[in-house]
Amino acid sequence: MELSKIHNIYFVGIGGIGMSALASYFVANGKQVSGYDKTPTEVTNRLREQGVAISFVDDIVSVEAPFLQLDKTLVVYTPAIPEDSKILTNFRQRGFQVLKRAALLGLITKNTICYAVAGTHGKTTTSSILGHIMHVCGTQATSFLGGITENYHSNLILGRDKISVVEADEFDRSFLQLSPNVACITNMDADHLDIYGEQSALEASFKDFAGKVSDTLIVKKGLPVNGLTYAVEENADYIAQRVRIEKGSFVFDVKTPNGFIGDIIFHLPGRHNVSNALVSIAMAEKQGLSLEEIKEALSSYKGVKRRFSYKIKQDDLVLIDDYAHHPAEIEAVENTVREMYPDQKVLVIFQPHLYTRTRDFADDFARSLSSFDEVILLDIYPAREVQIEGVDSKWLLNKIRHKKKSLKTKSATVNDIKSTDATVIVMLGAGDIGVLAEEVKAALDDRKEKKVS
């Protein structure tokens, strides 16, 4: 397929974070873009501001006439859309060319120098760090991201078509559609077992991805994949060392096969983010950037929305919103909170994401959540799934070994939050808990105003 000959692109599931980045990219490149999604969100609102017409009715009659031209329209869908979607089914029945999101991303990046970030955790942060470095250092790379960057207020950093930075998503084996020149693997923890069945199959898929890398693969030390290694405070090809906290920011030195740079200042909390920064430095150096200019670029990186995002940051009260939805991610957040706020009481509000993930990692979820001082569970966010009998938040709550635990509705959480004595509140999940975080913030702000008055 020659994308230059396509006039119209219709996205089924346009509100998805990866889909919306592609939609914005094609708008910027002069294509006519439209799409469907289930409900309006901040993402769809931003697309509408760019002139993209979006329908929230799953019916072909909602599709505008220009996008029903068979020879001029490409249809793109996300695997998160049910296969029985009426719009998707109708496009297929009419003979339209239909591609998965990953296949389209593969086409876009095929003729670029492609930097791909893989791993079951850390993809979005790492790729956005790398995209920021590339942008600040003038490479004119185009970065397709899985989150909204605080620096650019977008999931797309638009450049030219010579260099691309992408997230290599293991879900549905999507990353095997890419043609990476330089890539990294941040971890290979078990996830998406509804797709893979066993962790061994997941690992095999990562090894297949590694085999597609044409130039350089950089992997976290200890992973069962051959490549250059990186590690924090351990011997490896790329090392972050003398890691310390100064004035609320991480400061560290980096040693690479080609040089050394000291006193890098990085504002994101958590040693896992130092690791993400380290591999971003390694990949940026592969592009030929100097360690000095990489260091300067890193100092201005602000992070990604819903990745340890502060909603309230005061001496007596902290509210953090984070996308963590896997036990390992929850553990990383808890470790970071304890490092930043030792000896303070920490309340976690967690919204499980997917019935299959909750079922597959229930014991691990229970263990990671039990590390907090108080736990509030919300109902499972189903996303693309139907309910599995016997798998619900009450079942998960019973596994948590904690005296201070409860299962609450969203409205009850907002009402009850005003009476908590926790000084640090962490809201975690990949569903719609980010919306609830705004309501909790408003409730806590209201509590403080009443105390003052």
Side-chain angles (χ1 to χ4, degrees), residues 42 150 305-306 308-314 317-322 425 427 433-442 444-445:
E42 286 185 30
E150 298 287 4
K305 187 176 181 181
R306 297 213 65 231
F308 215 88
S309 298
Y310 284 99
K311 295 296 181 181
I312 299 174
K313 190 178 184 182
Q314 301 166 351
L317 182 64
V318 172
L319 175 63
I320 296 165
D321 180 29
D322 195 279
I425 302 168
M427 302 186 67
I433 191 172
V435 177
L436 183 67
E438 297 294 338
E439 297 178 32
V440 168
K441 178 184 183 302
L444 291 170
D445 287 340

Side-chain angles (χ1 to χ4, degrees), residues 247-259:
K247 298 178 181 178
S249 297
F250 273 96
V251 182
F252 57 95
D253 305 339
V254 166
K255 182 180 179 182
T256 79
N258 304 305

Side-chain angles (χ1 to χ4, degrees), residues 138-301:
T139 67
Q140 298 184 319
T142 292
S143 300
F144 300 90
L145 309 173
I148 305 299
T149 61
E150 298 287 4
N151 288 82
Y152 308 98
H153 305 291
S154 176
N155 51 353
L156 175 71
I157 305 175
L158 191 64
R160 295 184 180 174
D161 291 333
K162 183 179 179 181
I163 302 170
S164 61
V165 175
V166 301
E167 290 192 28
D169 189 2
E170 74 281 0
F171 175 74
D172 203 31
R173 296 177 172 83
S174 294
F175 56 4
L176 300 182
Q177 304 270 4
L178 299 174
S179 302
N181 300 88
V182 178
C184 71
I185 301 177
T186 61
N187 49 71
M188 291 162 50
D189 291 342
D191 199 5
H192 303 303
L193 298 186
D194 55 322
I195 300 294
Y196 288 99
E198 300 290 339
Q199 183 171 358
S200 59
L202 175 73
E203 291 184 359
S205 190
F206 272 102
K207 290 175 182 177
D208 289 343
F209 168 76
K212 295 178 68 66
V213 179
S214 63
D215 187 343
T216 304
L217 177 66
I218 307 168
V219 302
K220 191 170 186 178
K221 185 178 180 180
L223 294 182
V225 182
N226 292 326
L228 295 174
T229 58
Y230 71 97
V232 177
E233 306 283 18
E234 288 185 64
N235 190 38
D237 295 301
Y238 297 87
I239 311 170
Q241 53 194 22
R242 285 208 319 129
V243 179
R244 65 263 189 210
I245 297 176
E246 296 179 4
K247 298 178 181 178
S249 297
F250 273 96
V251 182
F252 57 95
D253 305 339
V254 166
K255 182 180 179 182
T256 79
N258 304 305
F260 172 87
I261 188 79
D263 300 324
I264 292 172
I265 299 173
F266 188 61
H267 300 298
L268 263 62
R271 285 183 171 250
H272 62 291
N273 281 322
V274 172
S275 181
N276 292 335
L278 173 61
V279 73
S280 301
I281 292 168
M283 295 178 80
E285 191 184 40
K286 279 293 174 184
Q287 177 54 32
L289 301 177
S290 73
L291 291 174
E292 284 290 347
E293 59 186 332
I294 294 170
K295 173 183 174 179
E296 180 66 24
L298 268 178
S299 67
S300 62
Y301 177 74

Side-chain angles (χ1 to χ4, degrees), residues 1-11 23 25-34 65-75 96-97:
M1 181 197 303
E2 293 185 44
L3 292 176
S4 60
K5 295 182 180 180
I6 297 293
H7 298 275
N8 308 320
I9 304 179
Y10 192 92
F11 289 86
Y25 170 81
F26 282 111
V27 169
N29 280 275
K31 304 294 185 183
Q32 296 299 310
V33 176
S34 184
F67 296 89
L68 294 175
Q69 299 177 63
L70 186 64
D71 59 335
K72 294 183 177 181
T73 302
L74 171 66
V75 177
F96 279 81
Q97 184 147 20

Side-chain angles (χ1 to χ4, degrees), residues 361-418:
F361 302 106
D363 291 338
D364 294 327
F365 276 123
R367 184 170 54 254
S368 60
L369 291 168
S370 296
S371 298
F372 293 87
D373 299 307
E374 186 176 351
V375 181
I376 294 176
L377 278 188
L378 304 176
D379 286 333
I380 295 172
Y381 186 83
R384 58 187 178 270
E385 294 184 340
V386 296
Q387 185 168 2
I388 298 173
E389 185 177 353
V391 177
D392 55 25
S393 289
K394 185 177 180 180
W395 173 71
L396 177 59
L397 187 74
N398 289 333
K399 289 178 172 288
I400 297 173
R401 294 182 177 181
H402 213 303
K403 290 182 178 180
K404 301 203 72 174
K405 63 179 182 179
S406 59
L407 174 61
K408 293 184 179 180
T409 64
K410 293 176 185 176
S411 58
T413 299
V414 174
N415 290 332
D416 296 349
I417 202 71
K418 296 179 182 181

